[in-house]
């Protein structure tokens, strides 16, 4: 069973930065095409897509984080990153990484229902 483990969450001041890391215990899928993503669940809200990256290098971001967050993937290290800059208090929430074998090329962040492997989440708190 593949496990995804997030780390790097914590507290930051508005305008600050955090870098989230997600490490896979092994390659999620035997075939080479898949999509990795970051989602978040803000207090009292549904889980929403933040950023995603396909194995062809395509990337997509939610409008709310575009220009502030950067997703990247080190395939050799089985590690997914989310660099979060210019943080805002409304970025506060639990962040999850996820993997999907059903999406490979992306033009927008796929819905959570497309993803079948999830991490346990890491908390991000941004204070004003």
């Amino acid at each position: 069973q593949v496990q995804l483990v997030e780390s790097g969450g914590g507290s930051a001041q508005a305008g600050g930065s955090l870098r989230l890391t997600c490490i896979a215990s092994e390659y999620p899928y035997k075939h080479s095409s898949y999509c990795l993503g970051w989602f978040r669940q803000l207090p009292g809200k549904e889980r929403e897509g933040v950023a995603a990256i396909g194995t062809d290098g395509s990337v997509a971001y939610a409008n709310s984080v575009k220009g502030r967050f950067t997703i990247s993937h080190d395939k050799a290290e089985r590690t997914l990153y989310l660099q979060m800059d210019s943080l805002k208090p409304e970025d506060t929430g639990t962040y999850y990484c996820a993997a999907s074998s059903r999406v490979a090329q992306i033009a927008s962040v796929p819905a959570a229902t497309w993803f079948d492997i999830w991490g346990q989440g890491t908390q991000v708190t941004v204070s004003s």
Side-chain angles (χ1 to χ4, degrees):
Q1 181 75 14
V2 176
Q3 291 186 323
L4 302 179
V5 179
E6 304 98 334
S7 62
S11 298
Q13 295 283 333
S17 298
L18 286 172
R19 187 193 196 201
L20 303 185
T21 299
C22 172
I23 300 177
S25 57
E26 58 186 273
Y27 280 113
Y29 308 107
K30 296 188 183 303
H31 52 77
S32 61
S33 296
Y34 53 85
C35 173
L36 303 174
W38 285 100
F39 290 77
R40 67 185 182 187
Q41 188 152 18
L42 309 184
K45 296 191 175 181
E46 298 288 322
R47 190 173 298 190
E48 63 177 6
V50 174
I53 185 166
T55 46
D56 65 343
S58 55
V59 296
Y61 297 94
N63 287 335
S64 58
V65 306
K66 201 170 291 184
R68 300 188 298 122
F69 290 10
T70 304
I71 188 172
S72 60
H73 178 219
D74 185 333
K75 188 174 181 180
E77 297 296 325
R78 304 191 307 276
T79 303
L80 179 70
Y81 300 99
L82 184 68
Q83 177 67 41
M84 305 188 295
D85 299 318
S86 302
L87 284 163
K88 302 177 180 180
E90 50 264 43
D91 294 320
T92 294
T94 304
Y95 284 70
Y96 302 86
C97 65
S100 171
S101 63
R102 295 178 283 165
V103 182
Q105 296 176 324
I106 57 173
S108 60
V109 181
T113 50
W114 284 99
F115 291 80
D116 33 44
I117 302 175
W118 291 85
Q120 82 290 347
T122 186
Q123 179 66 33
V124 170
T125 302
V126 183
S127 56
S128 57

